[in-house]
Amino acid sequence: MKFLAIIPARKGSKRLPNKNRLLLGGKPLFEWSINSSKKVNNICDILVSTDDEKIIEFCRKKDVLIPWKRPKELAKDTSSSVDACIHALDWYEDNVSKVNGVILLQPTSPFRTHKTIEKGISLFKNNQDTTIVSVSKAKKKLEWMFQFNENLFLKPLIEKKLNDGFKSQETYVLNGALYIISPQKLRNDKSFFGGKLKPIVMRSDVESIDIDTLLDFELAKIVINNKMNDK
């Protein structure tokens, strides 16, 4: 089976400016996803979708596809990764080759390993009508979560209390590190969350790090420094 890896690396970012090319361990953030992808045999090509000239210049020196600058209408704050991925997929299948699956690798998950991508591909091969998603164990239990009622008082998210017979269960959250979907399903659903979702559970807190804020980035730098000190 052939898989196209798409790395969306839009220039704009409000909470963490230019986050996709921030240097982490001496490498721009998006390069971490490129490097892990190159170790996966089933990936036929790695395509970077960006409107950032510096990322384009970098990628053209690497063995990755950078066929165009992402159109302005797909590079707005309101633009979605789904639209960017469909745009990239359409170009690839029209100009290069048909593929069996699309792998979305967001640059904000630098510690995602090639082994996790390979596990996702293996799972997809037996579940091609689903979307493979990476998840992490939730840090907080649902019974500890509250929301506001109409009078702005807190009310439990789950009304039934533990002492009333509520059985606490493990819960999981999407961590954004990995999505695998068929081209047909991506085009039909226009979503990575439509229909059935098959999870890859990432047990490592480090691998699950998703860089969205300055605090996340500082945490990632601490991880890198600790790894260097351990050598």
Side-chain angles (χ1 to χ4, degrees), residues 13-201:
S13 176
K14 288 185 175 180
R15 281 188 284 187
L16 189 57
N18 297 316
K19 68 178 178 181
N20 287 324
R21 55 179 166 87
L22 291 175
L23 290 181
L24 178 65
K27 295 179 290 188
L29 203 56
F30 67 88
E31 188 181 0
W32 287 77
S33 292
I34 291 174
N35 292 344
S36 60
S37 303
K38 286 185 174 181
K39 298 177 182 178
V40 181
N41 291 330
N42 285 109
I43 291 179
C44 57
D45 267 310
I46 304 165
L47 191 155
V48 176
S49 174
T50 184
D51 61 324
D52 191 316
E53 294 288 356
K54 291 185 178 181
I55 294 178
I56 291 173
E57 181 181 353
F58 180 94
C59 289
R60 283 180 174 160
K61 299 175 183 177
K62 300 288 183 178
D63 188 22
V64 295
L65 279 175
I66 189 82
W68 24 252
K69 183 177 181 180
R70 190 193 291 189
K72 289 182 179 180
E73 64 270 18
L74 296 177
K76 300 175 182 177
D77 289 337
T78 55
S79 302
S80 70
S81 293
V82 172
D83 291 336
C85 284
I86 292 175
H87 171 259
L89 171 64
D90 287 346
W91 178 89
Y92 189 86
E93 292 202 320
D94 287 343
N95 294 275
V96 183
S97 173
K98 299 294 183 183
V99 294
N100 303 104
V102 176
I103 303 176
L104 170 61
L105 300 174
Q106 301 189 104
T108 48
S109 298
F111 301 122
R112 172 213 313 106
T113 67
H114 71 279
K115 291 182 178 179
T116 293
I117 300 173
E118 289 168 348
K119 287 179 182 177
I121 289 174
S122 295
L123 190 60
F124 176 81
K125 287 179 179 178
N126 297 317
N127 299 273
Q128 295 182 40
D129 61 335
T130 70
T131 304
I132 308 301
V133 297
S134 59
V135 300
S136 306
K137 187 176 178 181
K139 303 297 183 184
K140 301 293 183 180
K141 296 180 180 180
L142 283 175
E143 60 268 26
W144 296 349
M145 296 183 184
F146 292 77
Q147 57 188 351
F148 291 118
N149 64 13
E150 61 275 9
N151 297 315
L152 300 183
F153 289 102
L154 287 177
K155 67 174 183 178
L157 186 64
I158 297 177
E159 295 293 344
K160 205 168 185 179
K161 304 294 190 300
L162 284 173
N163 55 12
D164 292 332
F166 179 83
K167 184 178 180 180
S168 181
Q169 296 181 352
E170 286 191 353
T171 55
Y172 297 86
V173 295
L174 296 172
N175 58 30
L178 179 66
Y179 299 89
I180 305 177
I181 192 171
S182 71
Q184 180 181 358
K185 185 170 174 56
L186 178 59
R187 291 183 176 114
N188 288 344
D189 293 352
K190 292 182 172 53
S191 171
F192 286 99
F193 312 109
K196 295 181 290 185
L197 304 178
K198 197 76 173 178
I200 289 284
V201 181

